[in-house]
Amino acid sequence: MRVILASQSPRRRQLLEQIGLEFEILVPEADESCDSAQPPEEIVRFISRKKAEAARDLAGDREALIIAADTMVFLDGARLGKPRSEAEAFAMLSALSGRTHQVRTGVTVSRGERMETRTETTSVAFRPLNQDEIWGYIRTGEPFDKAGGYGVQGKAALFVRKIEGDYFNVMGLPLFLLGGMLADFGVKLFSEEELH
């Protein structure tokens, strides 16, 4: 079965490789605009579906299995995107300091006419951060391609006091949720042939 990851995220690619899935990458042009007044879960669901639909059209193969995801960070219901400047990264990390925020991911799996979308939410608590730490982290360059301005798998791991939920969701792809969805589509990540 042809499996397509509709994402250019190196972290999502790494996570699919980690679970032993063979796949190719296809990055569609998808309109990610949405109604920001919608609940956070609906926003990530909507955008992940749009990505999956665009990838399905681009692939030109209706029987290919498409995996698409959209991850966003929310603090008090407000979305924190990818910082576009050092000042924006500083403002985001300062807002997260000493507080708990939510990471939400919409995951869509599609094959043929069937398309399923589910969401995962993980709560992440940061310890209090001082200005020197925040600027030092910004100078590493890590914040700039990550929602919320940090990567839990990088140096920002030192900021995280507690995680409630799927750790891999914070990286951008909830593996437990995805594994169940793939099984529903007939993808066997463990088979008896592999065990002998």
Side-chain angles (χ1 to χ4, degrees):
M1 180 190 308
R2 183 183 181 201
V3 178
I4 295 171
L5 172 63
S7 175
Q8 60 188 353
S9 164
R11 288 162 293 282
R12 290 189 183 121
R13 184 174 65 239
Q14 173 193 348
L15 291 173
L16 286 189
E17 289 169 350
Q18 177 178 323
I19 62 173
L21 193 64
E22 291 186 14
F23 62 96
E24 59 188 91
I25 294 172
L26 198 58
V27 183
E29 291 288 330
D31 176 14
E32 296 189 19
S33 58
C34 62
D35 179 2
S36 59
Q38 288 183 306
E41 293 85 356
E42 289 304 313
I43 294 173
V44 294
R45 285 175 62 86
F46 178 77
I47 294 176
S48 75
R49 284 184 79 87
K50 298 255 285 201
K51 289 179 179 178
E53 289 166 356
R56 184 173 60 188
D57 293 342
L58 186 60
D61 178 357
R62 302 296 284 184
E63 288 308 303
L65 184 132
I66 309 287
I67 300 169
D70 189 68
T71 300
M72 294 184 181
V73 173
F74 293 89
L75 180 64
D76 296 333
R79 175 183 171 186
L80 301 182
K82 297 175 182 178
R84 292 163 293 188
S85 67
E86 289 189 350
E88 205 169 285
F90 183 83
M92 280 186 192
L93 292 164
S94 296
L96 296 174
S97 173
R99 303 192 58 205
T100 299
H101 61 275
Q102 285 70 45
V103 179
R104 291 188 167 88
T105 301
V107 179
T108 299
V109 177
S110 171
R111 186 175 188 213
E113 297 306 312
R114 183 179 172 198
M115 184 175 287
E116 300 284 339
T117 303
R118 299 180 193 166
T119 59
E120 185 71 41
T121 299
T122 302
S123 292
V124 181
F126 269 29
R127 65 172 173 78
L129 309 175
N130 64 51
Q131 291 191 7
D132 287 343
E133 288 179 300
I134 294 172
W135 283 117
Y137 180 62
I138 290 169
R139 282 192 291 274
T140 68
E142 276 190 15
F144 298 104
D145 69 336
K146 297 170 183 69
Y150 76 95
V152 71
Q153 74 284 357
K155 294 177 175 63
L158 296 171
F159 300 160
V160 177
R161 183 175 60 79
K162 183 169 71 169
I163 291 177
E164 291 183 10
D166 188 332
Y167 168 82
F168 299 107
N169 184 42
V170 187
M171 288 180 65
L173 194 61
L175 292 181
F176 180 79
L177 177 71
L178 177 63
M181 294 175 76
L182 291 175
D184 288 347
F185 276 80
V187 177
K188 296 178 181 176
L189 295 171
F190 296 107
S191 65
E192 289 189 16
E193 291 81 26
E194 292 173 354
L195 299 176
H196 295 296

